[in-house]
Amino acid sequence: MHWLIEGLTFLWDLIRLWWLEIIVCAVVIACVAIALPLLHTVFCRVVFVQKLKKICKEKNISYQVRRFPLLSLFSKHAQIDVLLSLEQKETALCFFPGITLKKNIYIQNKNCAFSTKPHTLLFWRSHSSGFSPSLTLDDESLKKTISMDIPQIEQRESVLIIHPTPIKLYTYQGNGYRVSGSGDRVDSLTIYEGADYIKFLSRTF
């Protein structure tokens, strides 16, 4: 018990001596933890746009910016970000708003969607069992509604780009949500994850 009291006393003296440095370090660590997902998303979006521009140049596809691609990261509204044109065909690319990393995306219809940040509950067993099953639940308090009132124009395809890839993508089918993926349609929207759309574009034209 004596060693515990000495240890706590030493720790308290250390905190009193270095309290300012400790606070600064804690603030820096918190800021880095918050900034990393955003920086990762920005990096992924920039890389995607550069690949998209490269393919458009190779395939002679017109590339028109309607909204700076990074602005969608700070918006709750999906709109046309890039317009691709080849001969008589136009494709409107709409980036899914916000940071999709480590989130579940639910697309209800062409006008509405939302994202949730799931958390995991672990049910630990004895070490001899060799595994710990988990249950992942969506946190409804962190649900963010996304407006997708994207104008539909005849002879123009609307593509919803989700990048970087979320944990899970769901679309409303029938009477509930189902796991979905690139190439699926919701009303008049075609959904693609960023990497899959690059592959699709490179082999289609």
Side-chain angles (χ1 to χ4, degrees), residues 28 39 85 101 109 117-118 135 150 156 174 181 196 199 201:
V28 169
L39 293 176
S85 304
L101 200 65
N109 51 49
K117 186 175 181 180
L135 174 65
I150 300 168
R156 175 188 289 177
D196 293 334
K199 294 176 183 177
L201 201 62

Side-chain angles (χ1 to χ4, degrees), residues 65-125:
V65 176
R66 292 298 183 90
R67 177 175 68 168
F68 185 61
L70 294 183
L71 290 181
S72 62
L73 301 179
F74 308 96
S75 173
K76 289 188 177 181
H77 303 278
Q79 63 185 65
I80 297 175
D81 294 281
V82 176
L83 189 63
L84 306 181
S85 304
L86 181 62
E87 298 177 351
Q88 300 299 319
K89 182 180 179 180
E90 287 190 340
T91 301
L93 301 187
C94 312
F95 292 116
F96 192 89
I99 300 175
T100 58
L101 200 65
K102 295 183 179 180
K103 291 184 179 180
N104 289 335
I105 304 298
Y106 294 82
I107 301 177
Q108 184 173 352
N109 51 49
K110 67 177 182 178
N111 298 318
C112 184
F114 63 89
S115 64
T116 62
K117 186 175 181 180
H119 63 274
T120 302
L121 301 178
L122 295 178
F123 300 92
W124 297 99
R125 292 188 178 181

Side-chain angles (χ1 to χ4, degrees), residues 32-201:
V32 169
I34 294 173
L36 277 179
L38 177 60
L39 293 176
H40 186 178
T41 303
V42 169
F43 176 77
C44 290
R45 180 66 57 82
V46 170
V47 171
F48 171 78
V49 169
Q50 292 305 314
K51 289 181 178 179
L52 184 63
K53 288 181 178 179
K54 182 180 178 181
I55 291 179
C56 289
K57 186 176 181 179
E58 292 174 351
K59 304 290 185 178
N60 198 28
I61 301 173
S62 174
Y63 179 97
Q64 303 174 40
V65 176
R66 292 298 183 90
R67 177 175 68 168
F68 185 61
L70 294 183
L71 290 181
S72 62
L73 301 179
F74 308 96
S75 173
K76 289 188 177 181
H77 303 278
Q79 63 185 65
I80 297 175
D81 294 281
V82 176
L83 189 63
L84 306 181
S85 304
L86 181 62
E87 298 177 351
Q88 300 299 319
K89 182 180 179 180
E90 287 190 340
T91 301
L93 301 187
C94 312
F95 292 116
F96 192 89
I99 300 175
T100 58
L101 200 65
K102 295 183 179 180
K103 291 184 179 180
N104 289 335
I105 304 298
Y106 294 82
I107 301 177
Q108 184 173 352
N109 51 49
K110 67 177 182 178
N111 298 318
C112 184
F114 63 89
S115 64
T116 62
K117 186 175 181 180
H119 63 274
T120 302
L121 301 178
L122 295 178
F123 300 92
W124 297 99
R125 292 188 178 181
S126 63
H127 293 291
S128 60
S129 65
F131 67 93
S132 56
S134 63
L135 174 65
T136 301
L137 302 173
D138 281 339
D139 192 339
E140 292 296 324
S141 64
L142 296 177
K143 183 171 70 173
K144 294 183 179 180
T145 303
I146 307 297
S147 171
M148 299 197 302
D149 190 14
I150 300 168
Q152 299 298 313
I153 299 177
E154 190 176 353
Q155 296 183 340
R156 175 188 289 177
E157 180 185 17
S158 295
V159 176
L160 184 66
I161 301 293
I162 302 178
H163 193 69
T165 304
I167 296 176
K168 280 290 182 69
L169 171 64
Y170 300 89
T171 56
Y172 195 85
Q173 302 174 23
N175 58 352
Y177 286 96
R178 301 289 185 272
V179 176
S180 195
S182 294
D184 290 344
R185 291 182 63 87
V186 175
D187 295 336
S188 56
L189 283 175
T190 305
I191 304 166
Y192 273 97
E193 295 176 3
D196 293 334
Y197 188 72
I198 292 294
K199 294 176 183 177
F200 165 78
L201 201 62

Side-chain angles (χ1 to χ4, degrees), residues 16-30:
R16 287 199 307 172
L17 183 63
W18 298 96
W19 66 270
L20 182 59
E21 288 80 359
I22 292 174
I23 292 176
V24 171
C25 288
V27 170
V28 169
I29 292 172

